[in-house]
Amino acid sequence: MTRSVHIVDQENVSATLTLAAPAEKVFAVLADPTAHAAIDGTGWIREPVDRAPLTAVGQIFRMAMYHADHPDGDYQVANKIQVLDPPSAIGWLTGQEKDDGRLEFGGWFWRYDLVPLGPSGTEVTLTYDWSAVPQSIREYLRFPPFGPEHLSNSLRHLAGLVSGG
């Protein structure tokens, strides 16, 4: 496995890892919300609230979360699929559902880009982009909320899932 971490213009961070699995298999794991807690690896993602596979741009999928710095500890996020191009790319905005049922997104975006490397290898780049986060949110949240190694760790967890280990 090869990897690299780079920060681009202080508004996004990405990591790349070559996985020993075909792009279709990697994409299937990424499109399965029940796998996201294992991919993340921080303990922040607890479990999917919406368990249906991710199949359409605009689809909303919610996750039960936990973070010690969150005012409630336990909370939910609502993710909206922005990019869905099997087996090449998948990405979503993260936000929350307000008390009135309205969804509000904070401006940060997760994206996986997959490049097939023959029948049994895939280069995967994970990008976390916070360039659209408004100043009002930046006043109380630090971006990114994790170190750049988090993305590399997530890709290693993904590699373990797609290899069956």
Side-chain angles (χ1 to χ4, degrees):
M1 291 190 286
T2 58
R3 76 184 148 102
S4 63
V5 175
H6 17 268
I7 295 177
V8 181
D9 73 24
Q10 303 302 308
E11 295 289 316
N12 66 69
V13 62
S14 64
T16 301
L17 185 68
T18 300
L19 282 61
E24 293 79 10
K25 184 173 185 180
V26 176
F27 189 89
V29 171
L30 293 170
D32 178 1
T34 67
H36 288 203
I39 295 168
D40 176 65
T42 63
W44 294 356
I45 299 174
R46 296 300 182 148
E47 63 183 355
V49 175
D50 300 313
R51 303 176 76 82
L54 307 177
T55 59
V57 170
Q59 181 178 352
I60 303 295
F61 69 102
R62 292 168 181 80
M63 296 297 225
M65 308 284 290
Y66 173 81
H67 196 284
D69 292 337
H70 190 278
D72 299 324
D74 291 306
Y75 62 103
Q76 275 190 23
V77 295
N79 300 292
K80 182 178 183 181
I81 298 295
Q82 294 290 105
V83 175
L84 191 78
D85 182 16
S88 302
I90 187 169
W92 55 86
L93 286 169
T94 299
Q96 292 187 316
E97 190 169 347
K98 297 301 183 180
D99 291 337
D100 63 3
R102 181 177 45 92
L103 296 178
E104 188 173 279
F105 298 94
W108 52 93
F109 183 78
W110 295 93
R111 181 180 172 124
Y112 292 84
D113 289 288
L114 290 70
V115 177
L117 302 174
S120 61
T122 305
E123 181 183 87
V124 181
T125 299
L126 169 56
T127 302
Y128 178 76
D129 183 319
W130 62 94
S131 59
V133 174
Q135 186 59 39
S136 60
I137 293 176
R138 292 176 191 237
E139 288 172 6
Y140 65 89
L141 288 180
R142 178 180 60 92
F143 286 91
F146 45 75
E149 69 283 352
H150 169 64
L151 297 174
S152 296
N153 290 340
S154 290
L155 290 175
R156 282 194 292 279
H157 296 150
L158 175 62
L161 289 172
V162 299
S163 70

